[in-house]
Amino acid sequence: MKLFRRFYPSEYVDSTYGIDFEKLYREGYRGVLFDIDNTLVPHGAPADKRAEKLFHRLQKLGMESCLISNNKIGRVEGFANQVGTKFIENAHKPSTKNYLRAMERMGTDTKNTVFVGDQLFTDVYGANRAGIRTILVKPIHPKEEIQIVIKRYFEKIVLYFYKREQGK
């Protein structure tokens, strides 16, 4: 359905941790923007070994990274310090302003940056509007705040049409 296309990701995968970042690097991508909650760890959880390992891998690869989150500074800065990356808190996603600011911080642009997140109406929609390639991941954990639970219902409708259009 044409109306929903603005919310469609460039790609839809099971997990952040299954993304082939080496392939993205070979394709010319040099920066990765990440949402935190339910993209890297369960909602509200601190960085775990898997997240730390991922950011270390990106660093070794020569890729810049930045967290872009609608959460407050305490949550975002603490997580960023644990994994050793840049961050933007209180990002007001889907506003494009902070996607652009994040790329500026990383020294990348829309052609060599990819965004990874778990929500269509904030993460993917904002990155699409900013002109960035998007990778939607399935949420890590089903426990979420009520406003997100409500959005997930509408996301299912959009994903139905996305998958149908993709022939899946």
Side-chain angles (χ1 to χ4, degrees), residues 79-99:
F79 195 96
N81 288 340
Q82 282 184 281
V83 298
T85 193
K86 299 165 182 65
F87 68 92
I88 293 179
E89 82 287 347
N90 200 19
H92 300 286
K93 295 180 291 184
S95 169
T96 60
K97 177 184 169 194
N98 286 307
Y99 290 89

Side-chain angles (χ1 to χ4, degrees), residues 1 3-5 7-9 12 118-122 136 144 146-163:
M1 185 179 268
L3 171 70
F4 294 148
R5 285 191 184 135
F7 302 110
Y8 289 179
Y12 184 30
D118 70 299
Q119 292 189 54
L120 288 178
F121 302 128
T122 50
L136 177 69
E144 298 181 297
I146 188 65
Q147 71 272 18
I148 296 171
V149 170
I150 293 165
K151 281 193 267 182
R152 294 284 185 212
Y153 172 78
F154 293 105
E155 283 184 354
K156 284 179 183 172
I157 296 166
V158 175
L159 286 171
Y160 167 81
F161 287 102
Y162 168 79
K163 289 174 185 175

